[in-house]
């Protein structure tokens, strides 16, 4: 039996989503066509938009379909920067954090290098929590220069939550828009776009049991973005391109399922993660639970295993049919030291010693037990190999 404990990387297609997707795959008609087949496809897309809006707490006109989280983040970051700096040339400063996903960090660094932006990186403590006093001070010192803030709702590696409503409240005093990457948060904590006070928020379908290739950027009706993809003017003119009705339906079904009985699912995932954490601390007392007791999403456990490389552990567990992750990006089959863990003030060696277990509401206790049964031997072997791994 395989234990799949890497839902934060991608979560398997849910049967209900697959059914809804397949039912709409052979729809004929471009949703932008005026004939009746096109209009039928348009209706399907608009119903999906409505369902996504209901699930995330938004208005249907606030849902901009994208190909996934990376595109949603790029559209938010570049679109907000170009719009705000275009309106007022002084607004070139962006507040973000070094613990963001690469889908936010890379466009920010590109804006700095190529487009005259200045990014101010919010410090984080060893548990991964943002320094709100630092944000408060930067806002009061430099508000007229700030284009926007981009801070993720939940960190995809260590699971820690950001106090999004507090951040939007601080920014609102200066009318500064806030974008949040909610790819790791939606379905793993309570997320409501309207209540959050956010100007924009990214979600991704394949983290929720939809196929890869669909996501959305929620953009409040008060917020304007400069378009990033030019073309036929679809999606409020900011993201041109023919929409896939079947993918839109799949995302809608995944979002609907994500929020159905969410409180019970969060409790169940927290229960499994609590059990896992307790057992790991008995089996491997040296293991460090990275975020400590900071507020976090329900389905994530991130550990540092001193004296060994996370990718050694990952490969050893893989031989026992257990799929986990180091949490960080992988180049040529070797894990990079986690930029998130380094940003929390840890050393490169510590940032290479990480292992992330990420679960979904479908995860069983048996899968966790399979991981726990294999862990002590894998840890012993990985320690022998040392911190540099293979
Ligand atoms: C927090 C976060 N943001 C963005 C992304 C990118 O999303 P996608 O894979 O849909 O492009 C990911 C995927 O790992 C993620 O975890």
């Amino acid at each position: 039996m395989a234990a799949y404990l890497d839902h934060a990387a991608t979560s398997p297609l849910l049967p209900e989503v697959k059914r809804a997707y397949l039912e709409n795959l052979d729809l004929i008609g471009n949703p932008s066509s005026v004939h009746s087949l096109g209009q039928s496809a348009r209706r399907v897309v608009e119903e999906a938009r409505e369902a996504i809006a209901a699930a995330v707490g938004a208005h249907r006109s606030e849902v901009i379909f994208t190909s996934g989280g990376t595109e949603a983040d790029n559209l938010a970051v570049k679109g907000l920067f170009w719009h705000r700096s275009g309106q007022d040339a002084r607004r070139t400063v962006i507040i973000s954090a070094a613990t963001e996903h690469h889908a936010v960090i890379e466009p920010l660094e590109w804006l700095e290098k190529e487009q005259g932006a200045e990014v101010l990186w919010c410090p984080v403590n060893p548990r991964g929590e943002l320094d709100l006093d630092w944000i408060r001070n930067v806002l009061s010192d430099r508000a007229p220069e700030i284009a926007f803030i981009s801070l993720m709702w939940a960190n995809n590696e260590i699971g820690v939550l950001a106090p999004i409503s507090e951040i939007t409240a601080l920014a609102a005093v200066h009318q500064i828009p806030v974008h949040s990457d909610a790819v790791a948060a939606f379905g793993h904590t309570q997320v409501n776009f309207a209540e959050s006070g956010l100007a924009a928020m990214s979600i991704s379908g394949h983290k929720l049991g939809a196929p890869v290739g669909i996501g959305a950027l929620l953009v409040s009706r008060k917020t304007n973005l400069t378009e990033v993809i030019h073309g036929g003017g679809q999606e409020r003119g900011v993201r041109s391109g023919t929409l896939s009705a079947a993918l839109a339906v799949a995302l809608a079904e995944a979002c609907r399922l994500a929020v159905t009985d969410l409180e019970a699912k969060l409790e169940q995932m927290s229960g499994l993660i609590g059990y896992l954490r307790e057992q790991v601390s008995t089996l491997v007392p040296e293991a460090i639970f990275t975020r400590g007791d900071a507020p976090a999403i329900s389905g994530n456990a991130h550990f540092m295993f001193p004296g060994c490389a996370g990718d050694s552990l990952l490969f050893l567990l893989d031989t026992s049919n257990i799929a986990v992750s180091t949490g960080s990006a992988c180049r040529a089959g070797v894990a990079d030291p986690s930029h998130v863990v380094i940003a929390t003030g840890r050393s490169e060696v510590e940032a290479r010693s990480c292992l992330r277990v990420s679960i979904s509401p479908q995860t069983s206790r048996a899968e966790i037990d399979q991981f726990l049964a294999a862990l002590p031997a894998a840890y012993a072997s990985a320690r022998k190999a040392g911190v540099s791994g293979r």
Side-chain angles (χ1 to χ4, degrees):
M1 189 185 88
Y4 186 74
L5 301 171
D6 195 16
H7 290 265
T10 195
S11 202
L13 198 59
L14 290 168
E16 300 91 328
V17 175
K18 185 174 174 184
R19 202 172 315 122
Y21 179 55
L22 292 177
E23 273 168 14
N24 288 277
L25 251 189
D26 49 11
L27 262 185
I28 300 169
N30 183 321
S32 297
S33 296
V34 288
H35 49 64
S36 46
L37 286 172
Q39 289 313 295
S40 302
R42 159 69 58 195
R43 243 188 326 277
V44 168
V45 169
E46 293 315 316
E47 280 168 19
R49 196 188 302 281
E50 186 100 41
I52 293 162
V56 303
H59 186 267
R60 66 185 135 73
S61 65
E62 295 175 321
V63 178
I64 307 285
F65 285 108
T66 66
S67 60
T70 301
E71 189 193 333
D73 285 343
N74 270 263
L75 175 56
V77 165
K78 293 173 188 164
L80 278 170
F81 179 75
W82 286 328
H83 180 75
R84 295 273 289 166
S85 61
Q87 295 248 302
D88 177 348
R90 285 176 309 169
R91 292 199 183 274
T92 55
V93 174
I94 302 163
I95 295 178
S96 190
T99 44
E100 291 291 312
H101 190 271
H102 285 296
V104 167
I105 291 181
E106 297 294 324
L108 287 177
E109 289 182 341
W110 179 82
L111 287 174
E112 247 188 337
K113 200 158 151 248
E114 305 287 345
Q115 304 279 305
E118 180 191 356
V119 184
L120 304 177
W121 304 100
C122 178
V124 291
N125 69 18
R127 307 190 318 174
E129 295 168 295
L130 299 164
D131 182 343
L132 284 193
D133 285 334
W134 179 92
I135 297 177
R136 203 173 282 114
N137 290 338
V138 171
L139 284 172
S140 70
D141 290 350
R142 301 192 63 178
E145 298 168 80
I146 295 172
F148 68 97
I149 297 173
S150 182
L151 291 168
M152 70 204 315
W153 197 309
N155 187 275
N156 54 299
E157 290 189 29
I158 59 180
V160 65
L161 284 165
I164 288 298
S165 299
E166 283 180 65
I167 293 164
T168 56
L170 291 174
V173 175
H174 306 279
Q175 285 103 48
I176 291 169
V178 183
H179 162 249
S180 187
D181 175 335
V183 168
F186 183 60
H188 290 266
T189 189
Q190 294 287 355
V191 168
N192 185 295
F193 181 64
E195 286 169 12
S196 70
L198 289 169
M201 181 179 96
S202 309
I203 60 169
S204 171
H206 74 101
K207 311 288 184 175
L208 303 167
V212 175
I214 187 77
L217 182 68
L218 286 306
V219 182
S220 91
R221 282 167 285 179
K222 292 184 294 209
T223 302
N224 291 311
L225 303 178
T226 298
E227 65 266 46
V228 170
I229 297 182
H230 299 79
Q234 291 93 339
E235 302 302 277
R236 276 166 64 180
V238 300
R239 197 272 187 175
S240 288
T242 301
L243 289 171
S244 160
L247 283 173
V249 169
L251 180 62
E253 185 62 5
C255 288
R256 187 187 70 76
L257 291 168
V259 297
T260 304
D261 300 325
L262 181 57
E263 225 18 86
K265 288 175 184 162
L266 295 180
E267 224 168 274
Q268 179 200 325
M269 287 191 285
S270 298
L272 281 178
I273 292 292
Y275 166 70
L276 168 75
R277 184 179 168 183
E278 213 177 273
Q279 295 297 310
V280 168
S281 72
T282 309
L283 294 168
V284 184
E286 306 91 313
I288 297 161
F289 192 68
T290 313
R291 65 168 181 266
D293 290 321
I297 47 173
S298 298
N300 167 295
H302 184 277
F303 300 94
M304 287 182 289
F305 287 97
C308 73
D311 60 348
S312 305
L313 264 179
L314 186 156
F315 288 118
L316 287 159
L317 291 165
D318 193 38
T319 59
S320 306
N321 270 334
I322 297 158
V324 289
S325 165
T326 60
S328 57
C330 192
R331 261 183 274 227
V334 179
D336 279 343
S338 160
H339 73 282
V340 171
V341 175
I342 286 177
T344 66
R346 307 274 186 178
S347 69
E348 191 170 312
V349 167
E350 287 173 302
R352 282 190 184 280
S353 72
C354 301
L355 203 74
R356 178 187 68 189
V357 171
S358 58
I359 65 173
S360 83
Q362 282 70 45
T363 303
S364 65
R365 164 89 178 250
E367 288 178 286
I368 303 285
D369 282 334
Q370 196 176 336
F371 168 82
L372 292 169
L375 180 66
Y379 179 61
S381 303
R383 271 202 75 131
K384 267 194 211 125
V387 288
S388 60
R390 297 151 299 155

